[in-house]
Amino acid sequence: MAHNSLYRRFRPDSFDKVIGQDYVIRTIKNMIKSDSIAHAFLFTGTRGTGKTSIAKIFAKAVNCLEPVDGSPCGKCSVCQALNNPANLDVIEMDAASHNSVDDMRELNESVGYPPTVGRYKVYIIDEAHMITPSAFNAFLKTLEEPPSHVVFILATTDIRKIPETILSRCIRFDFKLVGVAELVGLLKKILKEIGRGFEEEALIAIANAGDGSVRDTLSIADMCLSYCVGDITYREVLEVLGASDPAVIADIAESILEGRVDYLLSKVDYLLSGGKSVTQLQKDVMVCMRNIVYSAKVDNADKLLDLPKNVFEKIKKISATADINKAVRCVDILAEEENTMRFSAQPRILLEMALVKAAMDEAKPLEKAKADTADSNATLQNAELVKRINELDERVAAMSRGAAVEDGGDAARGRECRAELGQIIQKARYSKYFTLLSALGDVVGSYKIGRVMYLEVDREGSYNYIKEADNIRFMLAALEMKRFNIDSIIVVNVKKEEKNYESEIGEVMSMFDTENDKIVTTKKSK
């Protein structure tokens, strides 16, 4: 007999068995009890939060002859008939494969047929964001004024792709992520029903790994049931997840905060040599630093973090003497290196150096200057002046780009680099880079001078987005793999070049006492 996954075997068949969506359930129940059923609903939220399950329960409940507190009774003739997947009154449609105008025309024609056993004919359209704009337009009239016996339920994980014309015709329900405590309660109930023992810490680890998705949580639990011979233990769950022992991660975090680089590197080597993933270790350290901040700043942190008791006690002990500012800076450093590590051939080295940098990190010079009241004003003035001079350098370079191209710029090579960037980004599977691809569409000129690539942009928003540090690093890493020999990318806002900056340059120069090499004044605020 084929194995039946937990998330299919324990899919809820009544509203009382759904967890984490209380406001949705309460609203729908009241609609059913008062017999005020709307003609179109839109369910949106992260995968695995119950959108399709609730849609199926709702379809039965509105047709049930004797609903129990708004839920289908499961015993009447209509409920029995609707349990058959071949019934004609509950139509499930996968919009990922039925998203054309022809599919919508076929749907429009089918709504005219009345239900066979119940009061309503319910159409459940999953992944509705995959429907094309033309198909949505063909569906509009039917969605707005369907026959009285028809109810539409659209489910989507990407509400941004649903047109406003569709949103305005539906009652919208936003499904939230399910809390760890509720997921743990569900796991306990299921494991007791199937007769498997467990450790409390193991279930907490599974629920945390599920990231608020019931389906993901039950899929992970399925793997753990197969991996563990007897009871589900915390140690074995960590092995299934590929996660590191929280006690070891806490030791790493403590060594970073205390600046003990030798101990830090030995622990990192112990984990990575044991086969732990570099990206997973980076994530674990960031989460641990976040937990330390919670423990230091939040009174009921133990309830919010849902950590095993011994792990929380260790983190609480670390947070009592830790420099919280250093913990926050550690997260910043690791976050900055995340994209670089993703495209690097040596991610381990980058992670180790990022951790060493975090361990040796001290207060920034500007922050020290602020603490020193005697020098704080001079330091701030210097910082402001350097920033403005750097901005003017970039503008002057932009104004002279035309002459630079004539003196040896390689426009053809620049266009080749730009085209290659587009192809690389299209192959990426991260939504952020598709936004970058859209912004690169506003590049009106590109050329290469030596080992520098210039991108001319004529829209302010695209100019600001392309020049973000993360995007520049991504483009450099992508072009490096293609061996274009580019060391830096300069983004030029061509609309700003018409401005005359002579007066602004003169204003900045007036701030200098050139003979004594110091600042004599600052720009007055308007």
Side-chain angles (χ1 to χ4, degrees):
M1 181 178 177
H3 172 69
N4 196 9
S5 300
L6 289 179
Y7 75 83
R8 295 179 60 193
R9 181 178 171 185
F10 292 95
R11 182 187 288 272
D13 55 9
S14 68
F15 290 129
D16 296 335
K17 296 180 181 179
V18 178
I19 63 172
Q21 310 300 337
D22 295 340
Y23 101 91
V24 177
I25 299 302
R26 179 176 177 179
T27 306
I28 291 177
K29 277 186 174 182
N30 289 338
M31 285 183 177
I32 295 171
K33 291 177 182 178
S34 62
D35 196 23
S36 55
I37 310 300
H39 68 276
F41 297 86
L42 178 65
F43 293 171
T44 177
T46 308
R47 82 241 175 261
T49 50
K51 299 185 293 297
T52 305
S53 296
I54 291 180
K56 290 181 177 180
I57 299 170
F58 178 81
K60 291 181 181 179
V62 295
N63 287 303
C64 180
L65 299 178
E66 298 178 358
V68 180
D69 192 27
S71 292
C73 67
K75 300 177 182 179
C76 67
S77 59
V78 174
C79 287
Q80 295 294 328
L82 295 181
N83 284 334
N84 183 356
N87 78 85
L88 300 177
D89 287 355
V90 179
I91 299 96
E92 293 187 53
M93 175 178 158
D94 177 21
S97 55
H98 298 80
N99 55 12
S100 66
V101 173
D102 290 339
D103 292 318
M104 291 301 108
R105 286 174 179 167
E106 184 178 341
L107 186 150
N108 293 340
E109 293 173 0
S110 68
V111 298
Y113 298 102
T116 56
V117 295
R119 296 170 56 199
Y120 292 98
K121 197 172 185 179
V122 182
Y123 287 83
I124 302 173
I125 305 177
D126 209 359
E127 301 300 330
H129 60 273
M130 300 294 288
I131 299 176
T132 64
S134 299
F136 267 130
N137 290 334
F139 180 47
L140 277 178
K141 187 62 177 178
T142 301
L143 181 65
E144 183 174 18
E145 297 177 0
S148 58
H149 60 264
V150 171
V151 175
F152 290 108
I153 302 177
L154 282 65
T156 179
T157 54
D158 194 348
I159 192 65
R160 298 171 301 173
K161 294 182 179 179
I162 304 296
E164 292 291 338
T165 50
I166 297 293
L167 293 175
S168 64
R169 288 166 168 81
C170 300
I171 293 180
R172 173 175 168 176
F173 289 100
D174 289 85
F175 285 61
K176 63 181 182 179
L177 295 174
V178 182
V180 173
E182 291 174 299
L183 291 173
V184 170
L186 177 64
L187 289 173
K188 287 181 179 180
K189 182 179 179 181
I190 290 174
L191 293 176
K192 288 178 181 178
E193 185 172 336
I194 64 178
R196 291 292 292 269
F198 56 85
E199 292 180 358
E200 184 85 15
E201 293 82 0
L203 300 190
I204 293 175
I206 293 173
N208 279 316
D211 286 332
S213 168
V214 179
R215 182 167 60 243
D216 289 0
T217 301
L218 294 183
S219 295
I220 295 170
D222 238 337
M223 288 192 293
C224 295
L225 285 172
S226 300
Y227 184 78
C228 303
V229 178
D231 294 349
I232 298 179
T233 64
Y234 182 59
R235 179 183 60 81
E236 289 176 311
V237 168
L238 292 180
E239 293 174 359
V240 170
L241 297 174
S244 305
D245 185 349
V248 179
I249 297 297
D251 288 338
I252 290 177
E254 186 176 21
S255 64
I256 292 173
L257 295 173
E258 295 178 355
R260 293 184 291 147
V261 176
D262 54 343
Y263 184 77
L264 164 65
L265 292 178
S266 65
K267 284 294 184 182
V268 171
D269 179 72
Y270 165 75
L271 292 177
L272 296 181
S273 299
K276 299 301 180 185
S277 164
V278 171
T279 54
Q280 184 62 45
L281 178 56
Q282 178 202 20
K283 177 183 176 182
D284 290 344
V285 173
M286 293 176 70
V287 171
C288 187
M289 288 297 183
R290 169 251 193 187
N291 292 344
I292 288 173
V293 174
Y294 262 74
S295 180
K297 298 297 183 181
V298 182
D299 293 335
N300 60 337
D302 54 335
K303 296 179 180 178
L304 296 177
L305 296 178
D306 286 316
L307 294 172
K309 185 176 180 180
N310 61 322
V311 175
F312 178 77
E313 289 177 352
K314 186 175 183 66
I315 287 178
K316 186 68 175 178
K317 182 180 178 182
I318 295 173
S319 66
T321 57
D323 179 358
I324 302 303
N325 291 329
K326 191 169 184 178
V328 174
R329 289 196 297 275
C330 177
V331 175
D332 287 340
I333 292 170
L334 292 175
E336 288 176 1
E337 293 293 335
E338 186 173 3
N339 281 335
T340 307
M341 281 191 287
R342 183 179 294 123
F343 298 102
S344 173
Q346 298 292 341
R348 171 172 177 167
I349 295 176
L350 292 179
L351 175 61
E352 289 174 337
M353 293 305 101
L355 294 175
V356 170
K357 180 181 177 181
M360 300 175 66
D361 187 42
E362 296 180 357
K364 296 180 181 179
L366 186 57
E367 292 172 346
K368 289 183 176 180
K370 287 180 180 178
D372 188 350
T373 55
D375 297 330
S376 61
N377 292 332
T379 303
L380 290 172
Q381 290 172 356
N382 277 320
E384 179 188 355
L385 183 60
V386 169
K387 179 182 178 182
R388 295 194 60 194
I389 290 176
N390 287 338
E391 291 176 352
L392 287 173
D393 282 342
E394 180 184 343
R395 292 169 177 172
V396 171
M399 293 169 68
S400 61
R401 77 192 187 287
V405 174
E406 294 176 0
D407 292 340
D410 189 345
R413 190 61 168 163
R415 288 192 296 271
E416 185 181 349
C417 293
R418 164 66 182 85
E420 188 64 38
L421 269 177
Q423 294 180 10
I424 292 172
I425 294 172
Q426 283 181 331
K427 295 177 182 178
R429 295 184 180 273
Y430 302 97
S431 59
K432 176 178 180 179
Y433 299 137
F434 287 109
T435 306
L436 175 59
L437 178 61
S438 176
L440 287 173
D442 294 320
V443 172
V444 296
S446 58
Y447 50 90
K448 181 172 177 282
I449 303 176
R451 301 177 69 89
V452 180
M453 180 178 178
Y454 291 82
L455 298 176
E456 295 179 328
V457 188
D458 67 350
R459 288 188 61 188
E460 183 77 17
S462 298
Y463 164 75
N464 292 328
Y465 187 79
I466 295 173
K467 69 180 293 188
E468 287 184 4
D470 284 348
N471 291 329
I472 295 293
R473 280 197 294 267
F474 169 76
M475 291 188 289
L476 285 173
L479 292 175
E480 182 181 1
M481 292 188 292
K482 296 295 181 179
R483 303 188 184 280
F484 276 97
N485 297 323
I486 292 177
D487 293 334
S488 62
I489 296 176
I490 295 179
V491 188
V492 181
N493 188 342
V494 294
K495 282 193 174 182
K496 286 188 174 182
E497 292 171 9
E498 299 176 357
K499 180 178 177 181
N500 184 355
Y501 296 102
E502 291 182 0
S503 60
E504 192 166 350
I505 293 174
E507 181 183 0
V508 173
M509 294 303 297
S510 68
M511 298 168 65
F512 273 113
D513 179 350
T514 54
E515 294 182 0
N516 298 316
D517 192 22
K518 66 180 182 178
I519 301 172
V520 295
T521 184
T522 58
K523 183 178 178 181
K524 295 181 179 179
S525 60
K526 295 181 179 179

